[in-house]
Amino acid sequence: MEQFKGKSIFHKIAIGKIFYYEKNQFTVKRSKIDNFEQEMERFENAKKIALEQLQGLYEKALKEVGEANAAIFEVHMMMVEDDDYNDSICNIMKEQQLNAEYAVATTGDNFAQMFAQMDDDYMKARAADVKDISERLIAVLSGTSADMGKMAEPVILVAEDLAPSETVQMDKSKLLGFITKLGSSNSHTAILAKTMSIPAIIGVEIQKDWNGKLCIIDGYNGLITIEPEDDYLKEMTEKMEEEERQKQLLKELKGKETVTIDGKTIHLYANIGGVGDTASALQNGAEGIGLFRSEFLYLEQDHYPTEEEQFQAYKTVAENMAGKKVIIRTLDIGADKQVDYFNMDKEENPAMGYRAIRICLDRIDIFKTQLRALLRASAFGNISIMFPMIISVHEVLRIKEILQEVKMELKGQGFVYKEVEIGIMIETPASVFLSDELAKEVDFFSIGTNDLTQYTLAIDRQNPKLDSIYDAHHPAVLRSIQMVVDNGHKNGIWVGICGELGADTSLTETFLRMGIDELSVSPSFVLEVRKTVRDLDLSHS
Amino acid sequence: MKQFHFTVQDELGIHARPAGLLAKEAKLYKSKITITKNDRTVEATKLMMIMSLGVKKGEEVVVSVEGEDEEKAFEAMETFFKENL
């Protein structure tokens, strides 16, 4: 497995065999002629044929890649007929008594050089056009064909450089991507790649022996991989399939409402684990952030994140989401997520141990720092705060007390904040049973199905031996969800799901019938869930 | 002889395609039509020469027309520049 970097033209993945394309290397012979008229006639004939070919290419391009891309062949035709170009060729033949091929080659080089020396990137790129028409003329004169070899299966095309006349002749259905050594973002190859929506990487030190080898183009990172290892191939294949699915869904669903056929609307939010994920949440059409895991701030560092560091992160997400809801969950470490500088004791049973809100209510200083940062960020968007691992009403009352203290402090120090909604995660059986009382104290519930399943079924989800009986569809889990929804609604608060089960489209209908108000899923699942919701009709049972 | 000044509005300047169309248009008239940028003058019938001026957006050129049909040619050139550049 070998990897190379280049400049990416189109963000997409392609996987396929390499077809190494080499131009016919015209070695143009310089020879004396006796009869200028005869040579002139030969040139005029070649010109006629070249123009016919170009007209054919223009029509083909017009059909396949549209007017804007076809226009270049019109320009080529005009170039072939350009007075100066023709005068120069004619002169060399006449004055120096040299053959047409040589005259064309020399003239082509001179004009190409003129463009290459201009101080304008667009004009510089036109040198390729002059070379292209000259090569075409020489090919006709010398009876060789400038046509591109036929490709039997879809390939990734590797070439030093590609002229528009070469790219247009290719069978587009057989093209997965381009890799070239030369070319610029202004080149026809680049424009064509964009028009065709296929990845292209330029500026790569290409090698002839790549021909026929398997290759992956990662257009997101400008990376090409020759003879990829199995693991990487599998990973990229999955990514590519995912990409394809998303593309289809995006076409259909971006910007559409998450509403069933019979008119029931549900909020569809995204789970994110860092500031950088906001872009993917928005790209995939999430209506908000249903779970922002704040742990990353603690896990990525070797010290307690400061109020300022946290404030900046929360503020950025709130601003990027531009008024859409952003639900941030307070620190949820412990169990499978350990942080060295917290210096926590080793536990026999960490899943049931010192974690999440239990740490926060024990080490109030850490908790208060986070709450201060969250409240300060609330002024910049639509933030809600959510607390994990709740087992009692007492905990919620204590949290609200601390929150009130923090607000008073901030007010005293002249900071602005908004009145944020607060909610709790429902992920322990205790919180399920107490959901009627808890609902009176908070603005929303969000059900964390992963932990709820683990605690309800008493199955350690880290233990691979238990995988076969760890069943999130277990009736006990589903009944718990129903109970939470009912208790929430009785008390006028909304209830959502932010665990992995939220993205399980085999349960979407069940959740909607239960009365779930919100689903928060990984960004890449948003559109799939939306599609499922939009295909549902709850009026029939 | 008739002349007009023109500031190019097209994002790419006088790029290949309009240069080609301009050359075609200019060939329709008997008058000698030239384009001047700074102190370089080229004939409007010559595509590669027009391109070699490298006229960019916001730059000014002077178009000159001289010959028996200069009224018609002048009008046609003015229209062409306004519509294409």
Side-chain angles (χ1 to χ4, degrees), chain A residues 160-209:
Chain A
E160 188 89 1
D161 197 5
L162 288 166
S165 61
E166 289 165 329
T167 51
V168 76
Q169 284 173 62
M170 292 180 248
D171 179 353
K172 304 293 174 301
S173 64
K174 300 270 167 66
L175 262 185
L176 302 170
F178 298 116
I179 300 170
T180 63
K181 183 176 167 188
L182 307 173
S184 65
S185 312
N186 272 324
S187 65
H188 295 294
T189 313
I191 295 162
L192 188 69
K194 284 180 209 157
T195 316
M196 290 175 62
S197 304
I198 62 173
I201 311 275
I202 59 177
V204 180
E205 276 307 319
I206 55 165
Q207 292 167 25
K208 222 170 152 178
D209 67 359

Side-chain angles (χ1 to χ4, degrees), chain A residues 184-255:
Chain A
S184 65
S185 312
N186 272 324
S187 65
H188 295 294
T189 313
I191 295 162
L192 188 69
K194 284 180 209 157
T195 316
M196 290 175 62
S197 304
I198 62 173
I201 311 275
I202 59 177
V204 180
E205 276 307 319
I206 55 165
Q207 292 167 25
K208 222 170 152 178
D209 67 359
W210 289 354
N211 196 30
K213 286 182 179 166
L214 189 63
C215 170
I216 298 178
I217 299 182
D218 175 356
Y220 297 93
N221 300 306
L223 199 66
I224 64 165
T225 308
I226 310 292
E227 298 189 310
E229 276 156 19
D230 288 350
D231 285 353
Y232 183 67
L233 180 64
K234 197 172 152 240
E235 183 196 326
M236 293 307 280
T237 307
E238 278 165 11
K239 258 198 188 159
M240 195 173 68
E241 284 165 2
E242 171 71 27
E243 192 181 77
E244 207 37 55
R245 223 175 40 237
Q246 289 296 320
K247 208 181 88 194
Q248 277 316 105
L249 284 174
L250 263 178
K251 253 205 228 144
E252 294 166 33
L253 297 172
K254 203 167 174 195

Side-chain angles (χ1 to χ4, degrees), chain A residues 85 103-116 130-131 134:
Chain A
Y85 184 73
V104 171
T106 308
T107 303
D109 281 351
N110 289 342
F111 278 89
Q113 210 164 1
M114 173 182 88
F115 284 118
V130 183
K131 277 196 185 141
S134 303

Side-chain angles (χ1 to χ4, degrees), chain A residues 60 79 118 156 192 206 260 299 342 347 353 383 417 422 432 484 495 524 527 541:
Chain A
K60 186 168 189 284
M79 281 181 163
M118 286 174 72
I156 290 174
L192 188 69
I206 55 165
T260 61
L299 295 168
F342 272 76
E347 293 182 78
I383 287 179
Y417 59 87
I422 61 163
V432 172
V484 174
V495 181
S524 58
L527 292 168
S541 44

